[in-house]
Amino acid sequence: MALYAGDEAGKGDAILLKDISEASFLQNLRVRFESSLIYTYIGEVVVSVNPYRQLDIYGAEKVKEYKGRQMYERHPHIFALADAAYRAMRRKSQDTCIVISGESGAGKTENSKIIMRYIAAVTNVSGQREIERVKSMLIQSNSILEAFGNAKTNRNDNSSRFGKYMDIQFDFKGDPVGGHINNYLLEKSRVINQQQGERNFHVFYQLLAGAPESLLMPLRLKRDPMAYHFTIGGETTTVRGIDDKKDWAEMGAALRATEFGLDVQEGMWAVVAAILHLGNIEF
């Protein structure tokens, strides 16, 4: 198997390791990680190590570097996998699936968003307004899903507490024209109970931190998560690196982009507020 030249640290494809063992595989990941190379191949499988910091490897220049290239022409990267799947779909005119798996904190949610951004960047070269609208809706839907389905755990500050299957639909030119998301296995028990050091779902804290008084007052809510039993179960209400007020604004923009009507939004916040109030009922 030919691999690009100039791999600076370790082996870019674990198949090329002289000693195929768990120890040598993990050591190769360590060597590459220490050189800020977080992606490693096992054939056509991409292994990603969460760097827990921002890396400048997802910009427009990187997109150009991987667009239309074979996987082994460039250093291992999730863009290469996304491009290979997209080109296979167009070439064969068949559905293509990318499975993202890993333990909590591995980076599954972030990698799914990176793939979506890559697909958005390499499609609609003609600049059609409707396709741009669809792409924007697909990308911004993540803010809504994370607000209602993600929470701080002791292992991950933005842990997805549900599984999802995202289906992006393309036209004959390869441009995205729609999508569908199936959610399953939501950790509903988190609503009423959180472990020490953990939080409830982000949406409760975003509502209390970011909503205007004109929304909080009719809902009889105080701008204080310490006032509600369901938001202090883990004795943690804030997270370093998470700005609940900013995330509220982003979720509001996402709701508008995905065409949630004002009446639907008001109903959503009424339900969220009702849950907070129910948690304070004493018998």
Side-chain angles (χ1 to χ4, degrees), residues 54-280:
Q54 295 295 323
L55 295 177
D56 185 22
I57 59 173
Y58 305 109
E61 289 302 315
K62 279 291 180 182
V63 171
K64 293 179 182 178
E65 186 177 331
Y66 286 87
K67 182 179 178 181
R69 298 284 186 172
Q70 297 297 321
M71 283 190 68
Y72 299 103
E73 290 186 61
R74 294 289 185 267
H75 290 272
H77 199 292
I78 195 169
F79 282 176
L81 177 68
D83 192 80
Y86 176 68
R87 286 187 293 106
M89 178 200 69
R90 295 199 63 185
R91 184 175 65 254
K92 299 178 181 179
S93 296
Q94 295 178 345
D95 294 342
T96 303
C97 182
I98 299 176
V99 178
I100 304 175
S101 64
E103 63 178 13
S104 180
K108 298 183 294 297
T109 298
E110 289 304 312
N111 277 303
S112 67
K113 291 190 290 187
I114 290 168
I115 289 173
M116 287 180 64
R117 289 199 296 267
Y118 180 83
I119 296 298
V122 300
T123 55
N124 193 29
V125 293
S126 59
Q128 296 181 53
R129 181 177 299 178
E130 176 61 18
I131 293 176
E132 285 301 312
R133 185 185 70 84
V134 171
K135 291 197 301 186
S136 177
M137 291 176 67
L138 289 170
I139 292 173
Q140 293 198 57
S141 65
N142 281 300
S143 297
I144 304 171
L145 290 172
E146 290 186 14
F148 285 88
N150 286 28
K152 178 200 180 309
T153 67
N154 288 319
R155 301 184 65 183
N156 183 0
D157 290 345
N158 188 35
S159 177
S160 296
R161 311 312 299 165
F162 66 102
K164 67 179 177 182
Y165 183 87
M166 179 173 294
D167 177 29
I168 303 177
Q169 299 153 358
F170 298 84
D171 63 13
F172 70 97
K173 296 178 296 182
D175 290 329
V177 294
H180 186 266
I181 300 172
N182 287 324
N183 301 321
Y184 53 93
L185 298 178
L186 178 66
E187 186 189 27
K188 298 177 182 178
S189 60
R190 180 170 294 271
V191 173
I192 60 173
N193 184 52
Q194 306 92 47
Q195 295 184 31
Q196 184 77 19
E198 299 190 351
R199 293 205 313 177
N200 209 325
F201 294 107
H202 293 326
V203 66
F204 295 106
Y205 307 93
Q206 292 175 7
L207 174 63
L208 298 176
E213 291 296 333
S214 59
L215 176 58
L216 294 181
M217 289 183 64
L219 298 176
R220 305 287 199 276
L221 291 176
K222 302 176 183 178
R223 198 180 296 281
D224 180 13
M226 297 297 294
Y228 303 98
H229 178 73
F230 285 164
T231 51
I232 60 170
E235 300 183 4
T236 300
T237 60
T238 59
V239 182
R240 185 175 62 181
I242 292 182
D243 186 337
D244 291 315
K245 187 174 183 179
K246 177 184 176 183
D247 290 344
W248 165 268
E250 291 181 356
M251 179 176 57
L255 288 169
R256 292 189 293 273
T258 49
E259 301 179 357
F260 278 73
L262 288 177
D263 55 336
V264 175
Q265 293 185 44
E266 290 174 357
M268 288 167 47
W269 306 135
V271 171
V272 174
I275 293 172
L276 290 174
H277 289 307
L278 284 171
N280 283 7

